[in-house]
Amino acid sequence: MFCKNCGKEINDKAVVCPYCGVQTENLRAQSSKSNGLAVLGLVFAFLIPIVGLILSAIGRVNTTKGDTDYGLATAGIVISILWMILGLMFVILWFAL
């Protein structure tokens, strides 16, 4: 592919031109991609942890490591697990008294 700014030939996967530094269409395509399941998983992690865990796990599988949504999905998984552990501890303590 060729840079739209300087006209030099660049790698097809380049996100910026190595010669002039202008962003390519690849960068715009990468940044506009969003995984809704990762975001929903994080939200549901606080509301209904089991649903948050499932959605976050699916969202994490559908993203690549290093993406923002990958981090959101991982946070959703961790928060869901913590809420389920706290809920289980609360139930055990409730019935122990």
Side-chain angles (χ1 to χ4, degrees):
M1 117 174 137
F2 293 93
C3 176
K4 292 184 178 183
N5 186 50
C6 66
K8 293 187 180 180
E9 187 173 3
I10 57 175
N11 188 333
D12 290 338
K13 295 180 182 178
V15 292
V16 294
C17 175
Y19 302 104
C20 66
V22 172
Q23 295 178 357
T24 65
E25 294 297 322
N26 292 338
L27 179 63
R28 291 182 197 107
Q30 283 182 350
S31 62
S32 66
K33 226 175 19 173
S34 181
N35 186 351
L37 289 177
V39 176
L40 277 176
L42 182 62
V43 171
F44 274 100
F46 291 101
L47 304 173
I48 308 170
I50 190 70
V51 174
L53 180 64
I54 293 168
L55 291 175
S56 294
I58 294 170
R60 189 166 184 231
V61 169
N62 292 337
T63 58
T64 56
K65 194 171 186 176
D67 287 347
T68 304
D69 293 335
Y70 187 84
L72 290 175
T74 303
I77 291 170
V78 171
I79 292 168
S80 295
I81 291 171
L82 288 175
W83 274 112
M84 287 190 289
I85 290 171
L86 286 173
L88 183 62
M89 289 173 48
F90 178 76
V91 168
I92 290 171
L93 287 174
W94 182 267
F95 285 113
L97 296 176

